[in-house]
Amino acid sequence: MKFRATVRREGEPDAVRVLDAPTRFAVYEQIEKEGGSVIALEEGGGGLNLPAWANIQFGTGIKRDEIVRLTKNLSAMLTAGLSLSRALSVLERQSSNKYLKKVASELSESVRRGSSFHEALAEHSKVFPPIFVAMVKAGEESGGLSDALTTVGMQMERSSQLTRKIKGAMIYPSIVVTAIIIVGVLMMIFVVPTLTKTFTSLGAKIPLATRIIVAISNFMVANVALVFVGLFALFGGGYLFIRSPRGSATVLWVALRLPVIGELVRETYAARFARTLSSLLSSSVPVLDALAITKEVVHAGVFARVIDEAEEAVRKGEPLSASFVKYPKLYPILMSDMLAVGEETGKVAEMLKQIAEFYEEDVQEKTKDLSTIIEPVLMLLIGTFVGIFAVSMIAPIYQLSSAIG
């Protein structure tokens, strides 16, 4: 495998050439000797080169955990005394993700050209969220870039952990429900027709519930392809609906009204709001800018609208906590009270951090117990499904046995 680099020499801004080398380290070694900078680095010359249409990329190709790791490493190197451009070059060489490597290279090149780091980050808005750019900008202006990176790295890591906990708690019920649907379809296609032939040959009187199941089975057997296409459309359409603004709003509306899930959702958004705003304020981001960015991070319609109202209230000189007190069904009362205390004592950022930690820990504990709560519901669902099917199929057999006896 060869590596092809596009190189610009120092002192010759218009002189760009292409360099081939056996390894990426050989490329940087040669450029360091000659004096210059790498504009782009690509693998090529060995193996199978796919056409452009086959190189499809979904999303950014960069995971949130990789951004967190990059942020922590960059903060550590800046604390150790490395310059920003050199630290970015090290991160580029260390990364095994080709997309992240490309981003690190472009960031390094932008910084070398004289751009500020937050301006370079803003050019990659799909990779680095607004909170990241805002906190880096505040860190650059205050001279504490490494501290700002540490803070934003911690904020992203805690947010990621919270999301993973919630998703992990929902994996088990999702698998069970999917399995029920698949088993039900297979039984309708393969098991019910066999039983139907038996009932018909013996002349059994079929009850209404059995006739309904037999009718559904006959339709599925006659339209197998349509059934599987319908299932694919159901799952695919459901996924797209949930991802749409209206769909996510509907799911959120339903979730907020569920007994246990509703409280979990409220505490999750309270933790996200508090953690994000605390991180921004502690990095000296102006409160109005911090609220605007927090609104983007929270994103969910009803919760974001409260933050929007709070932003307008603060703009008019009203306390931040006043807007949240009006919506106890969205943001917990405890959060509003603690936020009010923080405003009275002049320690809003510290109080928000305590709120975030409290609700994050509470959500983690509740997600551990969530599977225990969901299991009885799933058992009831499975029992109902099996019971209806069993009674519908056993009733004709019982009638035959009674007639023979």
Side-chain angles (χ1 to χ4, degrees):
M1 176 66 71
K2 289 185 178 180
F3 292 84
R4 172 160 293 187
T6 306
V7 181
R8 178 185 285 119
R9 287 187 175 181
E10 291 182 3
E12 302 178 17
D14 298 327
V16 178
R17 66 190 182 94
V18 176
L19 172 69
D20 288 331
T23 66
R24 57 169 57 91
F25 298 105
V27 171
Y28 284 100
E29 186 177 359
Q30 186 169 340
I31 296 307
E32 189 175 353
K33 289 178 182 178
E34 295 179 356
S37 59
V38 176
I39 300 174
L41 182 63
E42 298 176 350
E43 294 183 2
L48 177 64
N49 291 322
L50 296 175
W53 60 265
N55 293 319
I56 301 173
Q57 178 189 351
F58 294 95
T60 62
I62 303 172
K63 296 179 180 178
R64 177 60 65 93
D65 290 343
E66 291 176 313
I67 298 297
V68 172
R69 199 178 306 117
L70 177 144
T71 305
K72 288 183 175 181
N73 291 341
L74 184 58
S75 175
M77 285 187 280
L78 292 177
T79 303
L82 268 70
S83 66
L84 180 59
S85 59
R86 186 176 175 186
L88 288 168
S89 297
V90 172
L91 290 174
E92 179 190 351
R93 293 196 297 271
Q94 286 180 341
S95 177
S96 57
N97 184 322
K98 63 179 181 180
Y99 301 113
L100 185 58
K101 188 182 292 293
K102 181 181 178 182
V103 168
S105 174
E106 291 174 359
L107 289 174
S108 179
E109 185 61 27
S110 296
V111 171
R112 285 196 190 98
R113 288 199 303 263
S115 296
S116 61
F117 189 33
H118 76 271
E119 289 173 343
L121 291 170
E123 295 175 2
H124 302 276
S125 56
K126 291 183 178 180
V127 179
F128 301 99
I131 183 174
F132 197 106
V133 178
M135 291 182 69
V136 166
K137 180 181 180 182
E140 286 183 303
E141 291 174 352
S142 63
L145 179 57
S146 61
D147 293 336
L149 286 168
T150 300
T151 303
V152 73
M154 185 181 300
Q155 192 273 342
M156 291 177 70
E157 186 176 31
R158 295 300 294 268
S159 177
S160 237
Q161 287 174 352
L162 197 61
T163 304
R164 278 200 302 269
K165 290 279 186 184
I166 296 170
K167 286 182 178 179
M170 299 308 295
I171 288 175
Y172 172 65
S174 300
I175 292 173
V176 171
V177 171
T178 304
I180 290 173
I181 294 172
I182 293 172
V183 170
V185 170
L186 293 176
M187 289 181 71
M188 286 291 186
I189 294 174
F190 297 105
V191 178
V192 174
T194 304
L195 294 173
T196 303
K197 289 178 183 178
T198 304
F199 299 151
T200 304
S201 63
L202 295 173
K205 184 180 178 180
I206 302 177
L208 177 61
T210 309
R211 290 201 301 270
I212 293 172
I213 290 179
V214 169
I216 295 171
S217 173
N218 290 338
F219 174 80
M220 288 186 172
V221 171
N223 303 276
V224 175
L226 182 61
V227 169
F228 283 103
V229 170
L231 283 174
F232 179 78
L234 177 66
F235 285 108
Y239 176 77
L240 292 176
F241 176 72
I242 291 171
R243 300 281 292 181
S244 69
R246 179 174 293 181
S248 60
T250 303
V251 171
L252 184 60
W253 185 87
V254 173
L256 284 170
R257 282 153 181 80
L258 295 176
V260 179
I261 304 296
E263 187 178 358
L264 191 63
V265 170
R266 282 190 287 272
E267 291 187 356
T268 299
Y269 279 103
R272 185 177 297 175
F273 162 78
R275 174 67 63 182
T276 304
L277 188 58
S278 171
S279 300
L280 289 165
L281 293 178
S282 62
S283 297
S284 303
V285 177
V287 64
L288 291 175
D289 293 341
L291 285 168
I293 295 166
T294 303
K295 181 174 63 178
E296 291 185 39
V297 173
V298 170
H299 187 63
V302 289
F303 290 95
R305 281 196 289 272
V306 178
I307 300 173
D308 190 39
E309 185 177 321
E311 184 183 352
E312 288 300 319
V314 171
R315 200 185 303 274
K316 294 176 184 177
E318 298 176 13
L320 177 62
S321 58
S323 298
F324 294 94
V325 172
K326 301 176 187 176
Y327 301 96
K329 292 184 178 180
L330 292 176
Y331 288 94
I333 296 174
L334 177 63
M335 190 203 84
S336 304
D337 290 342
M338 291 179 71
L339 184 56
V341 172
E343 288 179 307
E344 291 171 6
T345 57
K347 297 180 179 179
V348 176
E350 292 86 343
M351 190 61 71
L352 283 167
K353 184 179 178 182
Q354 291 181 28
I355 293 169
E357 290 174 351
F358 173 78
Y359 284 118
E360 283 168 355
E361 291 175 5
D362 200 38
V363 168
Q364 287 179 10
E365 289 299 320
K366 285 179 179 177
T367 50
K368 290 178 184 176
D369 301 331
L370 193 59
S371 58
T372 308
I373 298 168
I374 290 175
E375 277 178 11
V377 178
L378 290 176
M379 293 302 294
L380 183 62
L381 179 65
I382 295 169
T384 303
F385 171 77
V386 173
I388 291 172
F389 185 84
V391 170
S392 300
M393 292 295 105
I394 290 172
I397 299 174
Y398 178 75
Q399 289 179 359
L400 279 173
S401 302
S402 300
I404 293 171

